[in-house]
Amino acid sequence: MRVFFIILLGLANLVYLNAQTLAFPEAVGLGKYATGGRAGIIYVVTNLNDSGAGSFRAAAEATGARIIVFALGGNIILTSKLVIDNDDITILGNTSPSDSGGITVSGATQVSASNVIIRYVRFRLGDGGYKDANGNVIGVDTTDEDALGIYGGNNQHDVIVDHCTISWGVDENMSASGASGTSTNILTNVTIQNSINAHGLYDSHDAHGASAKAFLINNNVHGISFIKNYFAHANDRPPASSGNNRTEMLNNVIYNFKYPPQFSRTDWFNVQGNMLKEGAIVPRAGQEFVDYVDGNFSGTARGFWQNNAWSISTSTYTEVDTRHVPYLESTPPISSGYTPTTAAQAVIDVLGDVGANYPYLDPLDVAVIADYTNNTGGLIDSQTEVGGLPTLAAGTPISDSDGDGLPNTWENTNGTSSTFPDSMDIESGEVYTNIELYSHSLKQSTGTINATGVTLTPSTVSVAIGSSTTISVAFTPSNTTDKTGTWSSSNASVATVGIDGVITPVAVGSTIISFVSNDGSFTDTSTVNVTAAVVNAGNKRNNKKHMKLGL
């Protein structure tokens, strides 16, 4: 694929031109023309093993153009870093069975290839058992890694990550980089869209100290787009650039952070229609929506900033670092052609369709999305603090007579062969292979999805007078359209319950809290035991957490 850089003398804008087909119909941003494995062969992942025949690693590390689909869902536990350094690959996590839990890759994954499409996969690194849920060190120090890294030391280009979840990184959750220093080897045309970046590990075994960093654009990345992503619970870098990078950041939602997005004195940036919302972490006083860092290169920044919004309690929060102001321009210095909406609309769009949400969001993603609305959640030192990897259903394998990754029902409906492998064929009048067309249909429904049940958590809880607690409700399926309902307390003289599940104790005793869904009238209950008020003298663990949350 060729990318032409044209400097228009009148506008002095950087324009990327490409006549290729979109990576998939909803692809946007600078990486939208990645071709992936369209010209190659199909690999069907048939087990969750780390390596060997039928494994994800075997398919990802193979040579030649390839499209990877999944015959089952579940957690793929990597025993060593997975490095994808052979070009032309498409990874379609949404092809796991519709009743499965989808695909989670647990371990470090590095992409050092061109023409890469990754959709509907969770990348969760974790600390390898370094700490328990109480913060005690119980394991050994291991290498500091990102959950997902994209590296272009050999002029790699055209990478798009869509509807993925990236979490539990020890260094950053995710990073992108060209070659180091002033090298001419650059990474170009990258898109991160509709993805969740949350819960990088804070006080883990990172050699650089406290972390919980979301995304580092390291250096020499000449074209990266962040569009409609959700950054949550990040101490730093949501994202941050170290210099000599070209970035557009459009319609992202950033919640619960200390440091805002940061660009250096040598970056070009286009920042529009994003929302920043304060959480339990207190933003650093005197911060700006677009922060300034010195960077590691010589040169001058070029920036564009428009229609961003924030919900921050500190009155000292401003829009753009004054050191960037002389370099702001009237038109974006870099643009993929995507037209951003307002920040308010971005919140609706992002929270309604983000992360690896097909077949379903896993419980961790359901919780982190709810955190934005409920003003809940905080930094974690270990994945064990949020329960670790949830068990994911393998699902019911599709009926696929010819073994080409396409269900017989889909082939029969769409006129392809269920007796001869044709998933990599491109039919007359189409621009995508059959397997791509099938995968395009596997996405979160935009119609009404009815509830089939509700579950309250915890089922039993104790709370002292003078404090409060929250009971959460989870809908099945997790992408139920109408998640409203009615809360009630069997004994309001003991404790009351608000519309958001917040329990307020009144007197010592017990009460039953009930929730009835508006969709289907599904009901679940939780027992609340109210105890006498207790004077909290504090302890070292609480003090540590307060320091971590900036309280």
Side-chain angles (χ1 to χ4, degrees):
M1 181 181 295
R2 294 181 297 174
V3 180
F4 298 86
F5 294 92
I6 302 176
I7 302 296
L8 301 180
L9 297 180
L11 298 177
N13 282 350
L14 185 62
V15 180
Y16 292 74
L17 300 179
N18 195 307
Q20 299 294 318
T21 300
L22 290 173
F24 45 89
E26 301 84 9
V28 293
L30 297 166
K32 63 187 175 183
Y33 294 121
T35 56
R38 193 169 298 143
I41 61 176
I42 192 84
Y43 280 81
V44 180
V45 175
T46 57
N47 60 64
L48 302 176
N49 299 339
D50 169 71
S51 60
S55 70
F56 175 57
R57 184 187 294 272
E61 293 180 346
T63 59
R66 58 219 182 274
I67 293 179
I68 301 174
V69 298
F70 296 84
L72 75 171
N75 295 311
I76 299 172
I77 312 297
L78 301 179
T79 59
S80 60
K81 179 189 284 190
L82 171 62
V83 178
I84 302 172
D85 55 7
N86 294 314
D87 298 344
D88 307 318
I89 179 173
T90 298
I91 302 170
L92 299 174
N94 58 336
T95 56
S96 62
S98 60
D99 60 348
S100 75
I103 297 297
T104 295
V105 177
S106 176
T109 301
Q110 175 180 317
V111 175
S112 298
S114 296
N115 283 318
V116 178
I117 301 171
I118 304 176
R119 306 190 73 194
Y120 296 93
V121 179
R122 307 178 198 96
F123 295 92
R124 302 195 189 276
L125 179 61
D127 63 6
Y130 183 65
K131 284 191 173 183
D132 64 17
N134 295 315
N136 302 306
V137 175
I138 59 173
V140 297
D141 193 349
T142 55
T143 304
D144 301 337
E145 296 281 6
D146 298 341
L148 179 62
I150 303 173
Y151 300 106
N154 290 308
N155 293 313
Q156 280 87 351
H157 56 87
D158 296 286
V159 177
I160 187 166
V161 176
D162 171 61
H163 281 96
C164 289
T165 295
I166 304 96
S167 65
W168 303 348
V170 175
D171 193 0
E172 287 89 19
N173 274 339
M174 192 172 180
S175 60
S177 179
S180 60
T182 57
S183 171
T184 57
N185 290 335
I186 58 176
L187 174 65
T188 55
N189 294 351
V190 177
T191 291
I192 313 297
Q193 66 176 55
N194 306 312
S195 294
I196 295 173
N197 185 314
H199 276 317
L201 302 184
Y202 182 75
D203 187 12
S204 187
H205 53 72
D206 187 353
H208 301 97
S211 190
K213 300 180 178 73
F215 198 115
L216 175 63
I217 314 164
N218 199 4
N219 47 58
N220 293 317
V221 180
H222 284 199
I224 183 168
S225 302
F226 296 91
I227 299 177
K228 290 188 175 181
N229 300 294
Y230 178 42
F231 294 88
H233 310 311
N235 185 61
D236 198 3
R237 301 178 180 175
S241 170
S242 64
N244 196 29
N245 297 311
R246 313 288 185 256
T247 305
E248 65 173 5
M249 186 176 174
L250 311 173
N251 288 151
N252 299 279
V253 175
I254 303 171
Y255 167 65
N256 199 22
F257 62 96
K258 181 176 182 181
Y259 294 91
Q262 302 158 43
F263 298 97
S264 85
R265 59 188 172 88
T266 61
D267 287 322
W268 296 7
F269 59 86
N270 174 13
V271 180
Q272 299 185 62
N274 302 281
M275 171 63 82
L276 269 72
K277 181 182 178 183
E278 180 179 347
I281 309 169
V282 177
R284 191 182 68 178
Q287 279 284 22
E288 302 82 16
F289 195 114
V290 177
D291 200 6
Y292 177 98
V293 292
D294 286 338
N296 305 314
F297 301 86
S298 61
T300 301
R302 298 179 59 195
F304 183 81
W305 190 96
Q306 179 174 275
N307 297 331
N308 299 286
W310 58 93
S311 176
I312 307 295
S313 60
T314 174
S315 60
T316 60
Y317 211 81
T318 56
E319 295 183 4
V320 181
D321 191 301
T322 55
R323 291 168 291 182
H324 277 313
V325 171
Y327 310 113
L328 295 182
E329 302 180 359
S330 59
T331 55
I334 179 171
S335 175
S336 64
Y338 172 83
T339 302
T341 65
T342 64
Q345 185 63 45
V347 173
I348 297 171
D349 293 344
V350 170
L351 299 186
D353 184 17
V354 72
N357 59 11
Y358 190 91
Y360 301 107
L361 290 167
D362 74 3
L364 297 169
D365 285 348
V366 170
V368 82
I369 292 171
D371 283 342
Y372 183 92
T373 301
N374 298 333
N375 295 309
T376 51
L379 298 177
I380 62 172
D381 295 341
S382 170
Q383 69 280 356
T384 57
E385 294 181 40
V386 290
L389 287 173
T391 300
L392 302 176
T396 305
I398 61 172
S399 178
D400 178 15
S401 299
D402 54 13
D404 65 353
L406 290 172
N408 291 344
T409 53
W410 189 91
E411 299 222 64
N412 294 336
T413 299
N414 289 274
T416 59
S417 173
S418 60
T419 60
F420 180 82
D422 58 357
S423 59
M424 296 300 288
D425 290 355
I426 298 178
E427 306 297 334
S428 176
E430 296 288 352
V431 294
Y432 298 105
T433 62
N434 289 329
I435 193 68
E436 289 176 287
L437 292 174
Y438 167 59
S439 74
H440 296 166
S441 69
L442 305 176
K443 57 187 177 181
Q444 179 175 274
S445 173
T446 56
T448 299
I449 299 176
N450 296 119
T452 59
V454 295
T455 303
L456 296 188
T457 304
S459 59
T460 303
V461 64
S462 295
V463 58
I465 293 174
S467 60
S468 65
T469 189
T470 300
I471 296 175
S472 62
V473 57
F475 280 75
T476 303
S478 61
N479 59 339
T480 295
T481 301
D482 182 359
K483 294 186 177 182
T484 61
T486 302
W487 292 91
S488 63
S489 172
S490 66
N491 191 347
S493 64
V494 172
T496 61
V497 58
I499 60 174
D500 52 0
V502 174
I503 307 300
T504 301
V506 178
V508 174
S510 296
T511 184
I512 303 298
I513 302 299
S514 300
F515 179 85
V516 181
S517 67
N518 289 333
D519 177 3
S521 297
F522 295 100
T523 303
D524 197 17
T525 62
S526 177
T527 300
V528 174
N529 298 309
V530 177
T531 60
V534 177
V535 177
N536 185 1
N539 54 56
K540 292 183 179 179
R541 176 65 181 167
N542 287 338
N543 288 340
K544 175 199 169 189
K545 283 296 182 183
H546 284 180
M547 292 174 62
K548 185 193 304 183
L549 297 178
L551 300 176

